[in-house]
Amino acid sequence: ETGVTQTPRHLVMGMTNKKSLKCEQHLGHNAMYWYKQSAKKPLELMFVYSLEERVENNSVPSRFSPECPNSSHLFLHLHTLQPEDSALYLCASSPTDVGYQETQYFGPGTRLLVL
Amino acid sequence: QKEVEQNSGPLSVPEGAIASLNCTYSDRGSQSFFWYRQYSGKSPELIMFIYSNGDKEDGRFTAQLNKASQYVSLLIRDSQPSDSATYLCAVREAGTALIFGKGTTLSVSS
């Protein structure tokens, strides 16, 4: 596969469930990102990882827990979510996290519904 | 709070017309500017980027940047129904991730 892949593509979970979202990039990039996209809102940056180290965390509730075991893989662990967490979760990557001329390439997203 | 503002639309244009999408940003330190297209239910895909004041053309697309006015726009010439999508403006300064606007929905009628 090429580019940025995400699994699962769709997820329905109850508020007491624990699930994980997975992202994998095949571009040789060193930076990876999680974004949340809700209806009528801008894309919200959640986490930034550079070379497996978290470099930015935008006041995200602790019920979202990221993990970056290596520069190609990024996970988002979910537990005790709320219905307002239902959204499209997008993973992205870029060559580094500091190059202002670098663009970010997005995966297809995981559509999450919390019941 | 760094902000990127876009008119949510919908912007409706007939097939073959020029579509003009606008974006303003609050942070004067912003150094690079990106336009993404997002079809319904899909992820954003990069259309163009621009770093310097002036115009940058790529096929039917032209990006225009005016840093003094903190304004960036995207022109789509000869609009096609397949151009119907939400267009996201994003800005970036060195050392930060992209900051996105809410997007403008474009509808091209045949």
Side-chain angles (χ1 to χ4, degrees), chain B residues 32-54:
Chain B
S32 53
F33 307 85
F34 302 83
W35 283 99
Y36 284 81
R37 177 176 62 200
Q38 187 174 24
Y39 292 112
S40 180
K42 302 293 185 182
S43 61
E45 56 178 327
L46 180 70
I47 298 177
M48 289 193 70
F49 56 86
I50 185 168
Y51 310 133
S52 304
N53 277 327

Side-chain angles (χ1 to χ4, degrees), chain A residues 18-32:
Chain A
K18 289 184 180 181
K19 296 287 185 183
S20 295
L21 310 184
K22 179 183 176 182
C23 174
E24 184 173 1
Q25 58 94 3
H26 309 268
L27 300 169
H29 290 169
N30 289 325
M32 297 187 76

